[in-house]
Amino acid sequence: MVSIKAKPHQQKFNIVVREILDEEDLKTLRFLVRREIIKLDKGWTAIVDLRGMRVLEQKLTRYVRELQKIFIEHGVGRVATLVDNKILKMQLERLGEETGVNEVCSRFTNERDWQQFLTEASQDNKPSSERN
């Protein structure tokens, strides 16, 4: 299952990927990301849920690298990624070092911590008169 949705009024980009089976799945994901990402202004927040994803074969990691580069090129302000596979998390971190996305990315293996981070990030984006 893949769900990609830009929310321009909130400057958020929601991505849910439950399973990638092959190169065609990653090409479709890349297409969908490119289609939606153009709706956002510089500084947007990516909310990425990769629970259930398995480690990618080495030949497929180039697509993840491309996706991370697309994020950087389109002005991502922050990325919050939830992943429940520790090896996949390490794979993403290694690729993020290469692309520079680690500078703006926080990765979580605990959903509660991820949700807390997203809540705090939303508060940071509100004008001070609207914060609690």
Side-chain angles (χ1 to χ4, degrees):
M1 179 197 104
V2 173
S3 173
I4 311 274
K5 183 70 177 161
K7 296 183 176 182
H9 62 287
Q10 296 176 341
Q11 286 302 294
K12 291 184 181 176
F13 194 40
N14 293 320
I15 300 174
V16 178
V17 180
R18 291 290 181 246
E19 189 172 331
I20 294 293
L21 301 174
D22 58 23
E23 190 169 4
E24 289 306 311
D25 290 338
L26 286 163
K27 287 179 181 178
T28 299
L29 179 64
R30 181 181 59 193
F31 170 80
L32 294 171
V33 165
R34 283 187 173 145
R35 185 185 71 189
E36 288 291 304
I37 208 167
I38 61 174
K39 299 175 183 177
L40 301 167
D41 298 325
K42 186 176 180 177
W44 51 275
T45 299
I47 302 167
V48 184
D49 183 349
L50 301 177
R51 288 176 288 180
M53 278 279 298
R54 59 183 167 79
V55 176
L56 293 172
E57 296 174 41
Q58 190 61 34
K59 69 179 185 175
L60 300 178
T61 60
R62 75 181 185 97
Y63 291 98
V64 174
R65 188 179 298 109
E66 286 179 30
L67 289 166
Q68 289 179 350
K69 287 180 180 178
I70 290 168
F71 278 25
I72 296 296
E73 290 166 1
H74 284 86
V76 67
R78 97 182 74 199
V79 181
T81 302
L82 178 60
V83 58
D84 59 2
N85 182 316
K86 291 182 192 242
I87 296 171
L88 177 62
K89 182 181 178 203
M90 291 186 324
Q91 195 175 38
L92 294 171
E93 288 170 348
R94 181 182 54 80
L95 294 167
E97 286 177 22
E98 296 173 20
T99 63
V101 84
N102 283 356
E103 298 295 320
V104 295
C105 187
S106 298
R107 292 184 186 88
F108 301 88
T109 55
N110 179 292
E111 183 177 5
R112 186 176 302 168
D113 295 341
W114 181 63
Q115 290 290 352
Q116 180 66 32
F117 177 85
L118 293 172
T119 299
E120 291 169 4
S122 290
Q123 290 296 319
D124 290 345
N125 290 338
K126 287 183 180 178
S128 58
S129 62
E130 293 182 25
R131 293 182 194 159
N132 292 331

